[in-house]
Amino acid sequence: MNAFQVEQTYRNYMNGEWVEAASGGTEPSINPANRNEIVGYVPDSGVEDLNRAVAAAKAAAKDWRRLTGAQRGNYLFQAANVLERRADGVAEAMTREMGKTLPEAKGETMRGVAILRYYAGEGMRKTGDVIPSTDSEALLFTTRVPLGVVGVIAPWNFPVAIPIWKTAPALIYGNTVVLKPAQETAVTAAKIMECFEEAGIPAGVLNLVCGRGSVIGSALAEHPDVNGITFTGSNAVGKRVGAAALGRGPSINLKWAEKTQSSSQQTLTWIWLLRLPSAAA
């Protein structure tokens, strides 16, 4: 494996720029199979950094939602192409950072490519229905609108597939995203973000904040400008995220520790990423 350079310093991605944590703090991401190998240095961000990322996502939301589904889908298609081209380097970063075998890491990366292309196609599918009416002069229809800013909290064990499972549908349906990856796989998350950057994703639409879950994850769940939260992780942390978010009423999607992902997870993802306009006020 030689496509990946170790001990590089990575940054948060906010408003289309790579920026250090406000404190300047970093911490090493260490190869679990060789504790002497530092895979890279990642930001140890604080609440100030999270606030900056949410502000960027909120500012970008209006223009992003005004694009057609096909236009948003084109960005996802481009990101998929870049990820496919960079698959070897992303897979190697994953293997070094969290210990998955290289063939498995490559397979997961290509699954991420497939997910991006699938949701890119969603941009050309319907987002509502016309409903028959007994009144000949009435037009009854439903349409759905984006939530706004969606916070994504992802685990370490599928550091490409799960962030993309959550981020791609959020983006195609017109939401902007703040991604908080597991700190153990923050280098891999940065590699994903590089693909979106190369694809030309508009500034502020997709943001990355690396840091400890007790700081960044909690602040994301509690932030008043975050309109939806999606979390995959442990039961204990999931309960805390849910409790924090429920106190202020955003849409919530939680997946806690279990052996298999059920088909209901995909259904839930669709439910919380779009809502009726009457609920948007």
Side-chain angles (χ1 to χ4, degrees):
M1 295 188 292
N2 54 18
F4 177 70
Q5 181 178 354
V6 298
E7 294 199 32
Q8 181 178 340
T9 298
Y10 296 85
R11 295 175 172 84
N12 294 320
Y13 187 69
M14 303 179 191
N15 202 29
E17 299 179 342
W18 295 97
V19 294
E20 296 179 348
S23 67
T26 63
E27 59 180 308
S29 179
I30 297 173
N31 185 338
N34 178 6
R35 303 296 293 177
N36 295 317
E37 179 186 319
I38 296 174
V39 182
Y41 292 92
V42 297
D44 185 13
S45 303
V47 175
E48 179 181 348
D49 302 294
L50 187 276
N51 289 341
R52 180 177 176 183
V54 172
K58 183 178 180 181
K62 181 180 290 187
D63 288 341
W64 181 247
R65 71 187 293 172
R66 285 177 174 172
L67 297 180
T68 66
Q71 288 173 316
R72 292 192 296 265
N74 186 56
Y75 287 108
L76 298 193
F77 276 126
Q78 293 300 322
N81 293 340
V82 177
L83 180 58
E84 185 174 41
R85 190 173 68 250
R86 295 186 174 200
D88 288 341
V90 173
E92 183 170 345
M94 188 192 312
T95 293
R96 290 186 184 280
E97 194 169 36
M98 54 79 68
K100 189 168 290 188
T101 66
L102 188 59
E104 288 184 43
K106 182 68 176 291
E108 182 183 334
T109 302
M110 295 309 297
R111 179 68 183 275
V113 172
I115 293 167
L116 283 168
R117 288 177 176 154
Y118 174 84
Y119 279 107
E122 284 296 299
M124 291 298 290
R125 300 188 181 103
K126 69 176 185 176
T127 58
D129 292 288
V130 175
I131 303 169
S133 172
T134 57
D135 185 344
S136 62
E137 296 184 358
L139 174 62
L140 299 182
F141 66 94
T142 63
T143 187
R144 295 178 175 87
V145 297
L147 293 173
V149 178
V150 171
V152 174
I153 303 174
W156 64 271
N157 56 334
F158 287 91
V160 170
I162 289 180
I164 291 177
W165 267 329
K166 295 175 179 294
T167 297
L171 293 175
I172 196 61
Y173 296 142
N175 302 284
T176 55
V177 171
V178 176
L179 169 62
K180 189 275 176 219
Q183 194 71 338
E184 296 88 346
T185 52
V187 169
T188 306
K191 294 292 182 183
I192 298 171
M193 206 62 50
E194 289 172 355
C195 296
F196 279 95
E197 180 189 34
E198 185 175 331
I201 195 83
V205 170
L206 180 58
N207 306 273
L208 172 72
V209 184
C210 303
R212 300 179 186 182
S214 59
V215 177
I216 304 303
S218 296
L220 192 59
E222 296 169 357
H223 202 291
D225 289 332
V226 173
N227 309 103
I229 292 286
T230 174
F231 165 87
T232 297
S234 69
N235 291 343
V237 176
K239 290 176 181 177
R240 292 199 296 270
V241 169
L246 278 171
R248 57 183 187 82
S251 295
I252 307 169
N253 171 252
L254 303 175
K255 179 175 181 289
W256 298 347
E258 54 195 59
K259 287 192 175 181
T260 59
Q261 175 151 333
S262 68
S263 60
S264 63
Q265 170 70 6
Q266 194 81 339
T267 303
L268 283 169
T269 300
W270 283 60
I271 289 171
W272 65 257
L273 289 172
L274 293 167
R275 62 181 174 186
L276 294 176
S278 59

